[in-house]
Amino acid sequence: RTHLSRGTIEHRKSVARDVRHLALKCLAEIFTLHPPNFSFAPYMPCIYAVAINPRLAALSAENTQNSSVLLRLLKAWTLTPDYFAYLTAYNEATFPTLLDLLVAPKVQPEVVALVLDVLQTFLDYSPEDALQAGLTDDPRVAADAALLARDNVQKHVSRILSHMRTCFATVPFTPAARGAGPAGQQQQQGAQGGALAMRQIHILSRVAEYATSQAADARALLDLLLPILRKPNAAVPERTKGHVLRMMVRFVPIVLAPEAAPPATLLPAYLDVVSACFGRLRLDGSRTTLAEIMQLLAGFSSAPALVAAAEIVRDINSLSQERLGGADFEVRLGGYARLNERLWAAPMLDSHAWVPLLHNLTFFAQDHEEMSIRSNAAYGLARFITRLASALRDDPLAAEPETRSLGRCLTAIVLPAIRHAFNSKYEIVREEYLGVLRRAVR
């Protein structure tokens, strides 16, 4: 019997590891080459038994720092529809275990990007595109791959949404920047994180197609997407926010349906996010979608004031049916007239209804091109201040919750808008807001 020293044993173990690593690397390269008219199917049970299954349990612990050879092998099986089945047919745990890397402790963006590559391949796969791009020349294989990709996403949609929530919490939304030195490196890392976050938004928009039937999945999707709307446009472009808003139109009725038993706090939370967007988003399409969401939310509310506010919001954001991209001034001015002449003093128009109205008024009061819109919006702000002054005369100590809520609307919405408007490069906007401030001081 031969007795080996500890050094010899460790050396042999090291050599064996190097051989296994090189063999796995060569295997991944072979799949990447995609040799024509060759089927790996007879070899797949052996490949799984030797190379995949023994390492699957530790995948999330051993492959978080870089895109390892094993991860590159798994990704290679998504490069062509001929290989899609290799990722799932021989061990059903392979795909969900790969997804679990998204929430592994201290996982690096490089690894997250690789997992998202695999997921996005399944989400974006089209048999027609695959045939056109020459990824396969068999229409039946292309069609079967589409079914396999869709089934895998559908089966794990809840897991995907849960993991994406963690990804959104750890990946920064940072606008692209350049620089040198440590600060420049931080900016580059932030830019990479921002690009990764934007990619996650795209993936979530595709996952949305699979989350339409379950209220829990739809709510999880909205919980992920709504914080995006609060990000500055420098971090998340407005057109991307427009995609998020269109998803809200689809999922709000599912989440807030009575049979879904939504919590009482959900509707006010959605209202706060949508209302704040009226003060930031400028594109006509985005504002029209916001008005549509506002009406949906008002429909699920039992408050007549919110219904009235949603109607005014719809009118003052209305677009002309005759001019492409043009405002419908008749409808808009009619909405302002209803607010400024009648509804502003109505007791039914409470502080909750004023929130979306004030965000719209502060936005349109900065319109330097249309005097009629700007002056009516500024007059609406003056009407609100008059309403608050009347409430304070009746309740000088602000003991009533409604009086305090109206006061918070002034400090949280109107006053910050005044400060922002004073930095405007347009004198007419500064003068308009100076009149609003003068009314507030009185």
Side-chain angles (χ1 to χ4, degrees), residues 112-123:
V112 173
L114 186 144
V115 177
L116 294 182
D117 282 340
V118 174
L119 180 57
Q120 189 170 347
T121 299
F122 278 0
L123 289 169

Side-chain angles (χ1 to χ4, degrees), residues 327-348:
D328 191 330
F329 288 99
E330 183 177 354
V331 176
R332 291 194 181 196
L333 294 177
Y336 283 117
R338 289 205 315 278
L339 174 63
N340 294 338
E341 295 175 9
R342 297 192 302 274
L343 286 178
W344 73 273
M348 55 90 70

Side-chain angles (χ1 to χ4, degrees), residues 359-376:
H359 281 292
N360 275 276
L361 294 175
T362 56
F363 175 83
F364 285 115
Q366 298 183 58
D367 189 340
H368 62 277
E369 295 179 346
E370 296 294 342
M371 184 189 69
S372 59
I373 298 297
R374 183 178 65 254
S375 59
N376 273 279

Side-chain angles (χ1 to χ4, degrees), residues 179-203:
Q185 292 177 357
Q186 291 178 358
Q187 290 175 337
Q188 290 178 356
Q189 291 173 356
Q192 292 174 355
L196 189 59
M198 296 301 298
R199 189 178 181 195
Q200 291 172 359
I201 295 173
H202 167 75
I203 289 175

